[in-house]
PDB file of all heavy atoms in Angstrom:
ATOM      1  N   HIS A  84     158.751 -93.725  98.259  1.00 98.00           N
ATOM      2  CA  HIS A  84     158.182 -94.479  99.388  1.00 98.00           C
ATOM      3  C   HIS A  84     156.654 -94.479  99.318  1.00 98.00           C
ATOM      4  O   HIS A  84     155.993 -93.586  99.840  1.00 98.00           O
ATOM      5  CB  HIS A  84     158.656 -93.844 100.712  1.00 98.00           C
ATOM      6  CG  HIS A  84     158.375 -94.669 101.924  1.00 98.00           C
ATOM      7  ND1 HIS A  84     159.251 -94.762 102.985  1.00 98.00           N
ATOM      8  CD2 HIS A  84     157.308 -95.432 102.272  1.00 98.00           C
ATOM      9  CE1 HIS A  84     158.741 -95.546 103.926  1.00 98.00           C
ATOM     10  NE2 HIS A  84     157.551 -95.957 103.518  1.00 98.00           N
ATOM     11  N   ASP A 175     160.062-102.321 105.458  1.00 97.00           N
ATOM     12  CA  ASP A 175     159.249-101.199 105.956  1.00 97.00           C
ATOM     13  C   ASP A 175     157.880-101.628 106.467  1.00 97.00           C
ATOM     14  O   ASP A 175     157.244-102.531 105.945  1.00 97.00           O
ATOM     15  CB  ASP A 175     159.068-100.135 104.872  1.00 97.00           C
ATOM     16  CG  ASP A 175     158.373 -98.900 105.428  1.00 97.00           C
ATOM     17  OD1 ASP A 175     158.847 -98.382 106.459  1.00 97.00           O
ATOM     18  OD2 ASP A 175     157.356 -98.473 104.868  1.00 97.00           O
ATOM     19  N   GLY A 176     157.455-100.898 107.475  1.00 94.00           N
ATOM     20  CA  GLY A 176     156.298-101.291 108.279  1.00 94.00           C
ATOM     21  C   GLY A 176     156.861-101.844 109.584  1.00 94.00           C
ATOM     22  O   GLY A 176     156.336-101.610 110.662  1.00 94.00           O
ATOM     23  N   HIS A 202     162.941 -98.794 108.368  1.00 98.00           N
ATOM     24  CA  HIS A 202     161.871 -98.190 109.175  1.00 98.00           C
ATOM     25  C   HIS A 202     162.441 -98.121 110.587  1.00 98.00           C
ATOM     26  O   HIS A 202     162.564 -99.143 111.266  1.00 98.00           O
ATOM     27  CB  HIS A 202     160.642 -99.100 109.092  1.00 98.00           C
ATOM     28  CG  HIS A 202     159.535 -98.746 110.015  1.00 98.00           C
ATOM     29  ND1 HIS A 202     158.338 -98.221 109.563  1.00 98.00           N
ATOM     30  CD2 HIS A 202     159.414 -98.844 111.359  1.00 98.00           C
ATOM     31  CE1 HIS A 202     157.533 -98.010 110.603  1.00 98.00           C
ATOM     32  NE2 HIS A 202     158.167 -98.387 111.699  1.00 98.00           N
ATOM     33  N   HIS A 255     161.313 -92.142 106.248  1.00 98.00           N
ATOM     34  CA  HIS A 255     160.421 -91.175 106.907  1.00 98.00           C
ATOM     35  C   HIS A 255     160.937 -90.624 108.250  1.00 98.00           C
ATOM     36  O   HIS A 255     160.370 -90.868 109.291  1.00 98.00           O
ATOM     37  CB  HIS A 255     159.008 -91.745 107.071  1.00 98.00           C
ATOM     38  CG  HIS A 255     158.924 -93.191 107.503  1.00 98.00           C
ATOM     39  ND1 HIS A 255     159.545 -93.669 108.622  1.00 98.00           N
ATOM     40  CD2 HIS A 255     158.278 -94.242 106.945  1.00 98.00           C
ATOM     41  CE1 HIS A 255     159.283 -94.964 108.732  1.00 98.00           C
ATOM     42  NE2 HIS A 255     158.514 -95.336 107.735  1.00 98.00           N
TER      43      HIS A 255
HETATM   44 ZN1  LIG B 501     157.718 -97.146 107.648  1.00 91.09          ZN
END
Side-chain angles (χ1 to χ4, degrees):
H84 192 142
D175 187 52
H202 171 110
H255 42 54

